[in-house]
Amino acid sequence: RDWHYLVPDEAGLNRQVLVPRGEFVSVKVASKLMRQLQDPLMLSTGSLPGWCADLVLGCNFLFPIECREFYTGCTAFGISRALHS
């Protein structure tokens, strides 16, 4: 997205987005993450599967912003706040 800062502007260089960001969002993976985050037992014991953190931190483009915000709210602010959301 910011590669144009590295490449000087050449005459006739067309800088169109080749693939929209929405194409990378995975609805199935996002819904699976949301199911994990809505399980009170998982949240209260702190036993979310490792893939949740791995994918959200490493491949955040797979998830819509609402899903990433919900993940942050459930994991970053303590158990009591996670259970109230």
Side-chain angles (χ1 to χ4, degrees):
R1 68 178 181 208
D2 296 325
W3 65 273
H4 61 274
Y5 292 116
L6 301 174
V7 179
D9 193 12
E10 304 277 333
L13 185 62
N14 190 2
R15 292 195 175 120
Q16 294 179 357
V17 176
L18 297 177
V19 180
R21 285 180 176 242
E23 292 293 320
F24 293 105
V25 173
S26 174
V27 177
K28 289 183 179 183
V29 175
S31 67
K32 186 160 178 73
L33 176 67
M34 291 299 285
R35 278 195 306 263
Q36 293 291 331
L37 294 174
Q38 291 171 347
D39 184 6
L41 183 61
M42 290 268 194
L43 290 175
S44 61
T45 59
S47 60
L48 281 173
W51 64 264
C52 294
D54 292 342
L55 282 181
V56 171
L57 298 175
C59 302
N60 60 2
F61 55 86
L62 290 175
F63 304 99
I65 187 70
E66 298 83 13
C67 188
R68 290 180 292 183
E69 287 174 347
F70 191 67
Y71 173 81
T72 302
C74 288
T75 57
F77 302 120
I79 295 172
S80 62
R81 184 163 176 177
L83 292 175
H84 289 295
S85 60

